[in-house]
Structure formats: structure tokens, C-alpha cells
Amino acid sequence: MSDKNGQGAGTQSIQRAAHVLRIIASRNGTGLRLVDIAAHSRLERPTAHRILKCLIAEGLVSQDAESRRYFLGRLVFELGLAASTSFNTRDICRPALLRLAEKTGDTVFLTIRSGFDTVCIDRAEGSFPIKTLTLDVGTRRPLGVGAGGLALLMSLPDPAVDEIVSANALRLSAYNGLTVPLLMRLLKRCRELGYALNDAHVTPGATSVGLPIRSRSGEPFLAISIGAISSRMTEERQQELVALIRAEITILEGAVSDTARP
């Protein structure tokens, strides 16, 4: 339904286009077919195709001529470069990630919430010879996938969790067969533990722990997680890592709230 000025329809079109871009971003390495984009966005195929044609015309999406798969376009990269100077959250958090990587020897990730998704915005590698590089900078995943995603999801009220999980239900199976019931069980366990623990999906043989970083209003918007091979992640060591993360977050929450842009 649109208002008298037609702004409702225009707003809906923008929301749908943004949703399509997020879906493509989540699989930009391999690209997505039209049928996949339509299914994940819950749009009719003709509607999804019209949106994609418009996004291609504006340079926000590209399509491979041979595979017919869709990828993010060059304009997204160009806009990201222009916007990067206005966001200093990564710079503020970088020293904390480096300290954690040095102390633990493991890989440390910084994740930010983006709607119903998370995006890895930084990573620091420790000295332990066996790396768990389970997440590249720029990777987008459904909220709740991985320790960073679980850390952000576990901190939200139940109605918000239900809405997010329902919206992402069709995308979960791509992550080592994750399902809604399994995700809800993982979430329940995380809340009982008091920290995010991922040892059952995404990457076999790897375990990660994480905690959220809250804004001044109390909203979880960032998460720090540490990943290692599962043999290193005993229950005792999980507690040690969580204590280290919590100490850094105590410092970061004030710094991010006071100086981060926007």
C-alpha cells in the first residue's frame, strides 16, 4: 500500500533492492542465480528480475555472461571507498584485536551487525601455526551464524530474535546444514553460558567464542570473537579467552560510543 504521494511504493522498492544487494553480498564469491535470489528474498521471480535489471543498469550489480550468476557491481566498491573515510570503528577496535591475537596466539575477528546480517570488518592473526581463518574481512552472513553472529543475536530480545531467524531461515542450510531448531538450541546454550560458543556449525574442527559490544543505548552492534582448532578450545580455555575479550570490550564500549563515526 502506498500513500498519496506514492512514497510507500518507492520506499518498498528501495527496501527490496537493498535486501537483494545484501543477499548477493552474502554469496559474492560464487555469485547467485536468479532462482536463488528470488527464493532468499521471498520475491516472485519476475519482481526479482526487474530489481536486478535496475541494479545492473546503475552499476550496483553485475551478471556473468557464461554462468548467468549475479555479483556485486563496481559501483558498490566505489561507494565503499568513499564511505570508508567516515567510519573509524575499525581503527578504534584494531589495537584490541592485535592485543588479543598476541596474548592468545589465535585468530580474532571483529563483526558488525548489518540489518539481519553480520559483516566481518577486521581480523587479526595470532602466532599459533595452525590458523582458523574461517572468516574473511568483508564476509556477510546471516545473523546468528558463527560466534560473532551468535554474540549479537543472543543479546537481542526474543521478539527480535524470532523475526531475524524467520527471515534468515532459508539461508541457514548453506552453513554446514544449520537449521532453525539447531540455531535456537545454540542460542539457548549461549545465553546459559553467558558468551557465544560456536562448535557445531560453519567450520568442522574449529571452535570460536565471542561477546557483543554495545552502543551507548545498550544495543549490541559489534562483536569480538576468537577462533581456534577445537583441540585448543577446552572449557577452561574458553573461559580464559572470554575473560580476555570482556576486558577489552570494557575499554572499547566507552571509546566506540564516544568517538566512533557515524
Side-chain angles (χ1 to χ4, degrees):
M1 180 180 293
S2 62
D3 57 26
K4 292 180 180 179
N5 296 321
Q7 293 178 344
T11 300
Q12 183 186 58
S13 297
I14 294 171
Q15 290 173 336
R16 286 177 169 177
H19 188 42
V20 167
L21 285 171
R22 291 190 183 100
I23 289 169
I24 295 173
S26 70
R27 284 290 180 271
N28 197 56
T30 58
L32 284 171
R33 302 171 300 166
L34 172 60
V35 63
D36 300 322
I37 294 171
H40 292 323
S41 63
R42 299 185 179 179
L43 295 171
E44 296 293 331
R45 288 180 63 176
T47 302
H49 189 245
R50 285 197 300 271
I51 292 172
L52 288 165
K53 284 184 64 176
C54 181
L55 292 173
I56 289 173
E58 296 298 328
L60 290 164
V61 169
S62 64
Q63 185 180 29
D64 182 76
E66 293 184 5
S67 69
R68 309 303 296 167
R69 288 176 176 264
Y70 294 90
F71 299 83
L72 293 178
R74 180 177 294 181
L75 182 58
V76 175
F77 171 73
E78 295 169 357
L79 293 174
L81 290 175
S84 63
T85 57
S86 300
F87 292 82
N88 67 343
T89 301
R90 176 176 171 175
D91 296 335
I92 293 172
C93 296
R94 182 66 179 172
L97 267 62
L98 293 174
R99 285 193 295 269
L100 287 170
E102 182 178 2
K103 290 177 182 177
T104 66
D106 295 316
T107 308
V108 187
F109 304 94
L110 180 66
T111 304
I112 192 169
R113 181 180 174 185
S114 175
F116 289 176
D117 293 347
T118 60
V119 179
C120 177
I121 61 174
D122 203 2
R123 182 177 78 183
E125 299 173 24
S127 59
F128 190 73
I130 304 176
K131 309 295 185 185
T132 54
L133 305 180
T134 57
L135 194 58
D136 294 325
V137 174
T139 298
R140 174 180 291 269
R141 302 195 296 200
L143 194 57
V145 172
L150 283 168
L152 290 165
L153 193 64
M154 66 182 278
S155 308
L156 296 174
D158 287 341
V161 170
D162 292 341
E163 180 184 9
I164 291 166
V165 172
S166 175
N168 287 334
L170 295 176
R171 301 167 58 198
L172 297 178
S173 62
Y175 300 92
N176 200 28
L178 185 63
T179 63
V180 170
L182 175 56
L183 176 55
M184 297 308 292
R185 288 197 296 271
L186 290 172
L187 187 63
K188 181 176 183 293
R189 181 181 66 172
C190 292
R191 286 173 168 174
E192 292 170 350
L193 290 171
Y195 61 90
L197 172 62
N198 170 40
D199 60 356
H201 68 283
V202 184
T203 305
T207 297
S208 53
V209 296
L211 288 171
I213 301 175
R214 298 178 182 273
S215 67
R216 185 176 298 161
S217 64
E219 191 79 11
F221 74 112
L222 289 167
I224 292 179
S225 58
I226 299 177
I229 57 174
S230 296
S231 61
R232 282 170 62 81
M233 283 294 200
T234 62
E235 185 175 342
E236 181 180 0
R237 190 162 191 272
Q238 290 175 26
Q239 298 290 341
E240 294 173 356
L241 296 181
V242 168
L244 290 172
I245 297 173
R246 186 172 281 118
E248 293 291 351
I249 285 178
T250 299
I251 300 170
L252 280 176
E253 284 186 333
V256 171
S257 296
D258 291 340
T259 62
R261 306 186 306 270

